[in-house]
């Protein structure tokens, strides 16, 4: 299984997450962002599978 980490879930990061997730739904996408609202929205919309505000902690999930 493939895992992708995206740092920053603004316009470009969230678009990138969707462009990967839609054709490859089994791909695990981890989103990293300083803004909890962006992370929450991305998870609710199914853009990412895991999230965090800290790179080392998030990549261990």
């Amino acid at each position: 299984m493939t895992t992708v980490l995206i740092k920053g879930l603004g316009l470009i990061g969230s678009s990138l997450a969707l462009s990967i997730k839609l054709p490859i739904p089994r791909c695990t996408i981890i989103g990293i962002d300083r803004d909890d609202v962006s992370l929450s929205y991305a998870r609710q919309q199914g853009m990412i599978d895991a999230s965090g505000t800290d790179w080392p902690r998030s990549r261990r999930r």
Side-chain angles (χ1 to χ4, degrees), residues 2-60:
T2 302
T3 300
V4 176
L5 186 134
I6 299 175
K7 184 177 178 190
L9 291 170
L11 183 60
I12 294 171
S14 59
S15 296
L16 178 61
L18 278 177
S19 70
I20 295 168
K21 195 65 163 172
L22 290 176
I24 312 168
R26 293 186 59 189
C27 180
T28 300
I29 300 180
I30 302 170
I32 305 293
D33 201 296
R34 290 183 279 175
D35 183 17
D36 288 330
V37 175
S38 294
L39 293 170
S40 177
Y41 180 79
R43 288 198 74 153
Q44 289 172 356
Q45 298 300 311
M47 296 176 191
I48 58 174
D49 301 298
S51 62
T53 56
D54 183 81
W55 155 275
R57 288 186 196 151
S58 299
R59 68 183 183 152
R60 287 188 210 125

